[in-house]
Amino acid sequence: MDLGLSNRVALVAASSKGLGRGVAAELAKEGAKLVICARGSTALRDAEQTIARESGTSVVAVQADLAQQGGAEAVVQAGMDAFGRIDILVNNAGGPPAGLFEQHTMDDWDKAIHLNFRSALTLIRQVLPGMKQRRWGRILNITSIAVKQPVDNLILSNSVRAAVTGMARTLANEVAPFGVTVNNLMPGYTRTRRVEELAEAMAQQQNKEPEDIFGSWESQIPMGRLGTPYEFAGLAAFLVSERASYVTGVSIQVDGGWIRSLL
């Protein structure tokens, strides 16, 4: 299937590793030009070089912290300088720390809001005017299964990612007449470093081994295993493609059947 992504320009946030890197690599294979960013320089440069070598596409890497003032603006500006436009925005960020309500300070809440909500909001504000002007654009937010079925011990993520979903669903209606789609992908338990860190934190709290935590998650998943970034990236590529031009305002889980609701 030709997804119509050749020569489109995609900005994928937090794309040096995990889900972000998987999505960036998949879009590059489909012929999209890339703007990638991350806080750490070593993993970012590795992603830049590896994706460019394997796909043959142009990749611009920007070291930036999207939770900090000016970070999102710097990433978008680098993309504009290199390619002149941003056609596709994939919002992504690592999750806030685990913990119960009374364990988190107001500073923890502020950091979570800046990391997972404000970063997406700022990037959208930067790229949306150009998308509307060209009457074509794709905005995809990577959220979490916690939006549909809250995950125990993750009150920060449950709350802030739900806010992203509310913003995206409302925005989807506003920008649909301009040929811009806004959708959300909800990853389930996927074998990434972020999930490994979560398992380690939960194991420490419960006086268990991390593999015990993985086993408990796998027992809840009908497929009996965690997903991979590659499996997640395929659907992401479709949703930001030309072929998905009539799909907007949706939240789709990629979770091996973990969510039990009918809708």
Side-chain angles (χ1 to χ4, degrees), residues 192-255:
T192 64
R193 182 55 192 155
R194 155 67 178 167
V195 170
E196 290 173 354
E197 290 172 352
L198 179 60
E200 290 166 4
M202 294 179 67
Q204 188 173 23
Q205 288 179 349
Q206 300 175 28
N207 196 27
K208 296 180 178 179
E209 294 298 323
E211 287 307 314
D212 295 330
I213 304 300
F214 280 114
S216 69
W217 289 338
E218 290 168 347
S219 70
Q220 301 171 38
I221 301 170
M223 286 192 172
R225 62 176 178 84
L226 274 66
T228 69
Y230 174 79
E231 291 172 310
F232 180 86
L235 182 53
F238 174 76
L239 287 174
V240 301
S241 75
E242 184 65 41
R243 300 301 297 269
S245 57
Y246 202 58
V247 180
T248 195
V250 303
S251 292
I252 304 174
Q253 63 258 31
V254 184
D255 65 352

Side-chain angles (χ1 to χ4, degrees), residues 47-119:
E48 175 191 22
Q49 295 170 7
T50 301
I51 293 173
R53 181 179 66 251
E54 293 180 350
S55 67
T57 196
S58 299
V59 182
V60 171
V62 186
Q63 186 178 358
D65 185 347
L66 297 179
Q68 298 298 317
Q69 185 73 28
E73 291 86 348
V75 175
V76 172
Q77 188 59 55
M80 294 297 293
D81 291 343
F83 304 119
R85 69 186 193 279
I86 303 294
D87 300 309
I88 297 163
L89 170 62
V90 180
N91 280 314
N92 180 44
L100 302 175
F101 179 82
E102 293 180 338
Q103 294 175 317
H104 295 301
T105 66
M106 285 304 299
D107 185 56
D108 293 331
W109 281 96
D110 288 340
K111 288 179 179 178
I113 290 168
H114 277 79
L115 176 66
N116 293 116
F117 182 81
R118 191 178 178 88
S119 64

Side-chain angles (χ1 to χ4, degrees), residues 151-199:
V151 178
D152 291 344
N153 207 45
L154 289 183
I155 191 167
L156 293 178
S157 181
N158 295 346
S159 303
V160 181
R161 295 190 191 279
V164 173
T165 303
M167 174 183 67
R169 183 61 191 89
T170 308
L171 181 63
N173 288 354
E174 294 182 10
V175 300
F178 299 93
V180 179
T181 68
V182 185
N183 294 297
N184 306 306
L185 266 187
M186 303 180 294
Y189 291 105
T190 309
R191 197 85 189 209
T192 64
R193 182 55 192 155
R194 155 67 178 167
V195 170
E196 290 173 354
E197 290 172 352
L198 179 60

Side-chain angles (χ1 to χ4, degrees), residues 2 131 171:
D2 181 5
M131 291 179 176
L171 181 63

